[in-house]
């Protein structure tokens, strides 16, 4: 099954966020590791424009993004749902 553009973009975002989170956990036990800190920040920076692109095209990924009083984000398919499931 081929991924849609939306699914491919979400997969990239998830990959960068996972890597950043994993490195953040490592930094919990190695707080002075500046190389890992820089790598974590690079992954966060790489994810940011992709998240902005996703939200501009498909809507918010979380209630924290966009207008906090707007509940439209909950009407769209959940990030783990494919467009075919809806």
């Amino acid at each position: 099954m081929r991924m849609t553009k939306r699914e491919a973009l979400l997969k990239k975002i998830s990959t960068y966020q996972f890597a950043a989170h994993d490195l953040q956990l490592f930094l919990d036990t190695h707080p002075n590791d500046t190389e890992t800190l820089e790598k974590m920040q690079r992954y966060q920076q790489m994810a940011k424009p992709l998240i902005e692109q996703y939200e501009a095209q498909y809507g918010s990924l979380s209630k924290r993004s966009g207008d906090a009083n707007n509940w439209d984000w909950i009407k769209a398919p959940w990030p783990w749902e494919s467009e075919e499931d809806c």
Side-chain angles (χ1 to χ4, degrees):
M1 181 198 299
R2 290 181 49 124
M3 273 194 263
T4 65
K5 289 180 182 181
R6 179 177 183 237
E7 292 168 333
L9 181 56
L10 189 58
K11 185 173 181 167
K12 272 187 180 177
I13 292 168
S14 298
T15 300
Y16 291 143
Q17 287 181 327
F18 176 84
H21 183 71
D22 195 45
L23 294 171
Q24 186 176 23
L25 292 173
F26 178 82
L27 287 167
D28 286 345
T29 57
H30 301 80
N32 298 320
D33 188 337
T34 56
E35 184 178 336
T36 299
L37 176 61
E38 290 170 4
K39 191 181 288 188
M40 180 197 72
Q41 291 169 338
R42 272 197 314 271
Y43 282 124
Q44 290 172 332
Q45 290 170 354
M46 292 166 71
K48 186 176 180 179
L50 297 176
I51 292 168
E52 290 170 357
Q53 177 186 349
Y54 183 94
E55 291 182 340
Q57 292 177 335
Y58 305 110
S60 299
L61 282 171
S62 70
K63 69 178 186 169
R64 285 177 263 149
S65 56
D67 181 5
N69 296 319
N70 185 349
W71 287 84
D72 287 342
W73 62 274
I74 201 159
K75 296 175 189 170
W78 290 95
W80 57 85
E81 293 178 326
S82 71
E83 293 176 359
E84 293 139 8
D85 292 340
C86 299

